[in-house]
Amino acid sequence: MKKLFTLVALATALVSCDNITIEAPQPEEQKIPISISTTLTRATDSAFEQGDKVGIFVVNEPDTFVASGNYVDNMGFTYSSKWTPDTPIYWLDQTTKADFYCYYPYAEGVSTTAHTFATKADQSSLVNYKASEFLWGKTSGIAPTEEAVNITTNHTFSNALVILKPGDGYTEESLAAATKSVKICGVKTNATINLATGVANASGNATEVTPYLENGQYRALIVPQTTAEGALIVVTVDGVDYTLTRSMTFKANKQHKFTVTLNKVSNGVNVGIGGWETDEEDYGGSAE
């Protein structure tokens, strides 16, 4: 009886096999990691440095950038010959396009509509000058790819470039030997920045900014704003102050060039302002 039961069971199994369809297991769709590369310049007009960190938002199409709940919110990427995320992130799938928003420097707990940042009032050191830089960029409609997504950012602030030139009563040598300092006056150093658009608005009280001296040129990063009529640039030569009085509109991602020609007139100095490097209008004027 035992043998008969075994044969019957085997026959039943063989018959049943005729009705079974076995499918090979399908592999899960391969996730594509998101990596980035950047076309960015620092305040020093050079590449990013080891340890620099940007913040990245990723918005899948057709979604729009929101305060929170984007596909990727404020992921930090740190530079060390390449950009490495704090946590690996992946494309949603193999077809959904995405928009990328990037800002520098990275900060935790950012407000996407009113991120606060402040330039240094004393930018006379390279460290403080660099620390006053803010960059922002966006790239749209990028299809999933294993290649790094390139993001180009622009300078959110203005760059004021002040150059002192010898005029009447000075030579290159005597001006170089003189004790000099420069102040940019009546500017606000605080900013609120919309991370969806990269637009910065100045806030707070106006103050003086001390620029960084590099290769005979004075540089300062200024939050975009229009200053009130009054002292804009104060040049001190051997203890004597000479003031340029006017209002000024500082624009984002613009380098405004001030060529200040020093002319000895009686006990004072006339200061002439050359044309802007990037603007078509002539903002020339003089002050004593």
Side-chain angles (χ1 to χ4, degrees):
M1 292 295 291
K2 185 175 181 181
K3 291 181 179 179
L4 179 61
F5 175 81
T6 302
L7 291 173
V8 171
L10 178 60
T12 301
L14 291 173
V15 171
S16 299
C17 285
D18 291 340
N19 300 320
I20 295 175
T21 301
I22 300 177
E23 295 182 357
Q26 298 297 314
E28 292 185 7
E29 189 175 79
Q30 183 68 37
K31 289 185 176 181
I32 304 175
I34 295 176
S35 60
I36 67 167
S37 65
T38 52
T39 304
L40 305 165
T41 53
R42 291 288 303 273
T44 53
D45 298 325
S46 62
F48 272 101
E49 300 168 357
Q50 298 286 322
D52 283 344
K53 190 172 184 178
V54 299
I56 297 289
F57 291 82
V58 182
V59 179
N60 289 326
E61 294 187 351
D63 297 339
T64 57
F65 192 102
V66 292
S68 63
N70 299 289
Y71 180 62
V72 175
D73 274 335
N74 200 33
M75 177 58 67
F77 277 73
T78 303
Y79 184 75
S80 178
S81 74
K82 65 177 183 178
W83 292 99
T84 303
D86 290 346
T87 303
I89 56 177
Y90 300 86
W91 294 90
L92 176 64
D93 50 41
Q94 295 188 350
T95 58
T96 301
K97 294 181 179 180
D99 301 334
F100 289 76
Y101 299 79
C102 175
Y103 74 94
Y104 169 87
Y106 174 84
E108 295 184 358
V110 295
S111 167
T112 56
T113 56
H115 174 54
T116 57
F117 186 84
T119 61
K120 302 292 186 180
D122 183 0
Q123 297 182 29
S124 60
S125 69
L126 182 58
V127 169
N128 280 0
Y129 179 57
K130 288 182 178 180
S132 299
E133 177 73 288
F134 195 93
L135 301 165
W136 179 92
K138 174 187 176 183
T139 186
S140 303
I142 305 301
T145 175
E146 294 182 358
E147 300 296 324
V149 175
N150 185 262
I151 306 171
T152 300
T153 68
N154 293 314
H155 301 279
T156 301
F157 300 150
S158 298
N159 187 243
L161 179 63
V162 180
I163 301 172
L164 305 182
K165 293 290 186 181
D168 294 340
Y170 281 105
T171 64
E172 291 280 356
E173 293 75 16
S174 64
L175 183 58
T179 300
K180 303 174 294 295
S181 66
V182 173
K183 296 282 188 182
I184 300 172
C185 306
V187 293
K188 298 176 181 179
T189 56
N190 294 322
T192 56
I193 305 164
N194 187 324
L195 296 182
T197 63
V199 174
N201 291 302
S203 61
N205 298 321
T207 187
E208 296 180 347
V209 171
T210 304
Y212 172 63
L213 177 60
E214 180 183 43
N215 298 324
Q217 301 177 341
Y218 295 84
R219 295 174 176 266
L221 293 160
I222 307 294
V223 179
Q225 60 192 281
T226 298
T227 65
E229 184 73 23
L232 178 64
I233 296 178
V234 175
V235 180
T236 303
V237 181
D238 289 334
V240 180
D241 291 342
Y242 307 97
T243 303
L244 171 70
T245 301
R246 60 162 298 158
S247 65
M248 174 62 199
T249 297
F250 291 96
K251 298 179 180 179
N253 202 42
K254 295 285 188 181
Q255 184 179 83
H256 301 294
K257 182 178 179 181
F258 298 79
T259 299
V260 180
T261 301
L262 302 176
N263 298 299
K264 286 186 178 180
V265 178
S266 299
N267 293 324
V269 171
N270 284 344
V271 181
I273 301 298
W276 293 97
E277 184 176 47
T278 53
D279 295 347
E280 294 183 1
E281 269 189 75
D282 184 356
Y283 295 90
S286 61
E288 294 182 359

